[in-house]
Amino acid sequence: MSAQSSPLWPLLERTLAQLYPGRRVRLVRMSAQPHVHRGFWHVEAHLSPTHEQLAFAVLVLDREGTDRAAPERYAAVAANALPAPVLLATAADPDRLVLLFQVPQGTKLDDELRRAAAPWRVSAAAISLARFFARLHSTPVHAFEPITTLQPALPTDEQRLSQLAAMAHDFDDPLRSSVERALDWIDQELDHSPALVPTVGCLRLPTLYEDSGEIATAFCWEHLALRPAAVDLACLLPELRFLPAEGRAHFLAVCLAAYADVAPVAIDDVAPRALLDLLERVLIVQSARASATTSRDRAPDQETVAFLDRAMRAARDGLPALALL
């Protein structure tokens, strides 16, 4: 997309006017980066009369839910010496919020992993991510008040388990029994009274930029909230699907070991949480398929049952074993 025909231009124009009051800025190019974030853009512009070339990272968010507090979250992260991008200006209309950032330095972590030809490079990326999580999880909760006190109520583990159990009752055996076995094991293994720490939730690796062996910039703070630390680590499993199975398992093993070395608290329920997330995704897919067929046409999904049974056996051996599925 180019020039001022973009529907985002009025908001971008307002952010740029904050940076360059009284100067004319011409939008040259906007490139969507959905692989980084659904609302992430790279923007290029010219500044008159000097014809200086400008480049920015732009995050466009909905003004609903937690997104509306994104500027405060990014500011709080920066104030606590965590790897936040440099926020230059913001603007909003009734529907959208635009955050204008300095273009980050470094390499996206997923690009680093895609290029990693040797195991030591995968290990280095895993260690940098483990340190990032440990820094975040050890940040005092009060450092993010009142932002975290305004977070919406998140489903408890018990609520998620109950919801999935209810979904399982809509299926016939052997799928229903397989789901119930998995839920029983998860319920036994979860820490039901975990400490709540600052977390990013479902992290996307392309939002992380690595520089000199550390996570230097992260565009993942709009959903900063208090959750169990294991949530951040469990969410890594689907983010590594672009790696071969052995690479996924190696990354997770190194990341978990490095995290344990520097983390503020020990966590033992990462694999059960990852299995809970996996089970939730599987049931959503199965429910969608079931709703598209009549009861007469439904047949037990033996492949799904076998997959869930393998997943539960793997989860008993830890998160790296789950990555080998």
Side-chain angles (χ1 to χ4, degrees):
M1 186 178 296
S2 63
Q4 281 79 348
S5 60
S6 166
L8 292 176
W9 173 243
L11 286 174
L12 287 171
E13 189 174 36
R14 286 165 53 188
T15 60
L16 293 169
Q18 297 172 39
L19 294 179
Y20 307 101
R23 306 282 295 277
R24 181 174 179 272
V25 181
R26 182 171 63 88
L27 183 65
V28 175
R29 184 176 296 108
M30 292 182 62
S31 302
Q33 309 286 313
H35 61 288
V36 176
H37 188 291
R38 61 182 173 81
F40 197 80
W41 295 76
H42 178 78
V43 173
E44 298 176 16
H46 283 173
L47 181 63
S48 297
T50 61
H51 302 292
E52 180 182 352
Q53 294 185 353
L54 307 173
F56 303 97
V58 173
L59 194 56
V60 182
L61 303 171
D62 295 331
R63 292 195 68 188
E64 295 182 0
T66 57
D67 280 5
R68 66 178 182 272
E72 292 78 8
R73 282 176 163 80
Y74 276 85
V77 167
N80 285 281
L82 290 165
V86 178
L87 180 59
L88 301 174
T90 66
D93 63 18
D95 300 316
R96 293 169 298 189
L97 173 66
V98 167
L99 282 66
L100 190 75
F101 295 102
Q102 190 176 94
V103 174
Q105 301 296 313
T107 305
K108 289 198 289 291
L109 190 64
D110 68 320
D111 287 344
E112 185 71 25
L113 284 171
R114 292 177 196 277
R115 294 198 298 261
W120 71 265
R121 294 180 68 93
V122 176
S123 297
I127 292 170
S128 69
L129 184 57
R131 290 173 177 166
F132 165 74
F133 280 143
R135 285 175 59 192
L136 172 61
H137 297 163
S138 61
T139 303
V141 171
H142 64 77
F144 295 110
E145 294 175 350
I147 297 170
T148 50
T149 62
L150 299 175
Q151 71 186 52
L154 301 173
T156 65
D157 294 332
E158 289 76 12
Q159 288 171 333
R160 293 182 69 194
L161 289 168
S162 296
Q163 182 181 22
L164 294 181
M167 292 176 68
H169 281 297
D170 292 335
F171 297 104
D172 297 327
D173 279 331
L175 180 57
R176 179 173 57 197
S177 296
S178 179
V179 172
E180 289 173 346
R181 285 195 300 272
L183 289 174
D184 287 343
W185 181 80
I186 292 169
D187 191 24
Q188 293 172 14
E189 296 298 319
L190 280 179
D191 179 355
H192 290 284
S193 301
L196 300 183
V197 299
T199 60
V200 295
C202 292
L203 175 74
R204 299 205 61 237
L205 292 183
T207 65
L208 303 179
Y209 287 75
E210 187 183 46
D211 193 19
S212 301
E214 300 290 342
I215 302 300
T217 306
F219 289 90
C220 57
W221 302 112
E222 59 270 20
H223 299 297
L224 174 72
L226 300 182
R227 305 178 182 89
V231 169
D232 278 343
L233 293 159
C235 285
L236 291 177
L237 189 61
E239 279 300 298
L240 296 169
R241 58 186 175 272
F242 62 89
L243 291 176
E246 294 78 8
R248 294 195 299 270
H250 177 69
F251 181 95
L252 291 170
V254 172
C255 186
L256 290 172
Y259 182 86
D261 286 342
V262 296
V265 293
I267 51 175
D268 300 316
D269 60 346
V270 176
R273 289 188 182 279
L275 182 60
L276 180 60
D277 293 342
L278 177 63
L279 189 61
E280 192 170 51
R281 292 192 296 272
V282 168
L283 287 184
I284 289 172
V285 171
Q286 290 298 312
S287 295
R289 289 177 177 172
S291 65
T293 60
T294 65
S295 57
R296 178 180 299 179
D297 295 330
R298 290 180 200 165
D301 191 335
Q302 298 293 343
E303 184 177 346
T304 300
V305 171
F307 173 76
L308 289 179
D309 289 344
R310 291 199 309 272
M312 189 171 73
R313 289 194 298 270
R316 294 177 185 274
D317 293 327
L319 190 63
L322 267 174
L324 293 172
L325 292 178

